[in-house]
Amino acid sequence: MFVARGFVGVPVLALVVLAGGGCSSSWGCSDTTAKRGVAGVRVRVEDVDGKVLRGVTAEVVDWRLEPHPQKPYGGDVVHFHYRFGGVDEWSDPALDVCAVDKKRVALGCQTVYSSGAFGPNGSSTGDDWLTVEHPAQVAGVLLIPNDQSYQGQTCEQDVKDGGGPHPPAAAVSGDQL
């Protein structure tokens, strides 16, 4: 009986206070989302904190409208070449690339990874295709400098282990760049 009284007394009250305090603090989890950097033909790659990754660049080397070779009757799509500079085998930055109109409104976007850029003699160049609804409106192809390769868990997904910095939302058609 003595053990029961000792357990039910002060220690239980202390446990209730501690448990209540831990639940209401949300484990101190907080999310931050990077501000979208300025899109351009040549950009310096930024990490999820918005800091420029030293020496890491990306550029759209060229682009043109043409039918995709695997779908020659599908009409014109945007065929673009891109290059990453300053990347190493341990990093694989990913950037959003968008076809834009004269007012820099995105007509179509996708993400490209530096690991997809492998040209002759290790030149870190690659090419890809963007399908847009109205190809005749395309006035250029731009890269957004924010590295999209790290998509950690948010506090909403995991209050204990989530949180921290996150890249901005991926670019989509209609976004003003």
Side-chain angles (χ1 to χ4, degrees):
M1 203 81 163
F2 176 76
V3 173
R5 251 187 296 162
F7 181 74
V8 173
V10 176
V12 170
L13 180 60
L15 287 175
V16 169
V17 170
L18 289 173
C23 291
S24 65
S25 71
S26 297
W27 298 94
C29 191
S30 64
D31 286 312
T32 57
T33 302
K35 183 178 175 186
R36 184 179 288 166
V38 177
V41 173
R42 180 172 165 76
V43 297
R44 292 170 44 174
V45 179
E46 299 175 7
D47 67 12
V48 292
D49 291 318
K51 297 176 184 167
V52 173
L53 296 176
R54 188 175 191 158
V56 181
T57 60
E59 67 180 308
V60 175
V61 178
D62 67 7
W63 68 273
R64 62 187 163 279
L65 295 174
E66 61 186 10
H68 192 287
Q70 294 176 342
K71 300 176 188 176
Y73 303 107
D76 283 342
V77 293
V78 181
H79 184 201
F80 64 96
H81 289 81
Y82 60 97
R83 178 179 329 159
F84 278 87
V87 295
D88 55 38
E89 65 264 16
W90 297 285
S91 65
D92 188 18
L95 300 182
D96 287 337
V97 60
C98 298
V100 296
D101 66 11
K102 291 178 192 174
K103 295 180 180 180
R104 294 174 59 111
V105 173
L107 302 172
C109 300
Q110 68 185 44
T111 305
V112 294
Y113 286 80
S114 65
S115 61
F118 47 88
N121 303 319
S123 66
S124 297
T125 59
D127 73 309
D128 214 331
W129 303 80
L130 266 170
T131 302
V132 296
E133 191 172 341
H134 302 289
Q137 293 179 354
V138 176
V141 177
L142 302 176
L143 290 161
I144 300 172
N146 305 92
D147 182 10
Q148 294 286 336
S149 65
Y150 175 73
Q151 298 287 341
Q153 291 186 334
T154 64
C155 291
E156 185 176 286
Q157 293 166 326
D158 187 346
V159 71
K160 184 174 173 250
D161 299 321
H166 302 283
V172 296
S173 296
D175 284 357
Q176 178 70 51
L177 303 179

